[in-house]
Amino acid sequence: MPGPKAPVVNLSEAEREGLTKLIKRHQVGQQIALRARIVVAAADGQSNQAIATRYKVTLDTARL
C-alpha cells in the first residue's frame, strides 16, 4: 500500500537562491547541504522515493 502523498513544496526565488548558495558553499556541514538538496528536489516536484534513491538516503529522510 502506498504511503501518504508528498506535500507540495513552493519556494520563492529568494528561498531557492538561498538554498542553492548554501549547497554550493564549501564550509557548510554535509548534513545541512543534503537537507537543502532534498528540499530543492521536492520543490522541483520529485517524489520522495526518487529523492531517496538519488541521494542514497532512507525514505523517511526524504520525507519533509
Side-chain angles (χ1 to χ4, degrees), residues 15-25 36 40:
E15 291 170 328
R16 182 178 290 273
E17 184 178 322
L19 288 172
T20 302
K21 284 182 181 180
L22 184 72
I23 292 167
K24 292 180 180 182
R25 220 166 56 187
V40 170

Side-chain angles (χ1 to χ4, degrees), residues 32-64:
I32 294 170
L34 174 61
R35 179 54 67 184
R37 286 185 187 97
I38 291 170
V39 171
V40 170
D44 288 341
Q46 293 184 27
S47 69
N48 290 337
Q49 184 61 52
I51 294 169
T53 301
R54 180 176 183 183
Y55 294 112
K56 296 177 177 67
V57 297
T58 65
L59 191 55
D60 284 337
T61 300
R63 288 188 179 121
L64 296 174

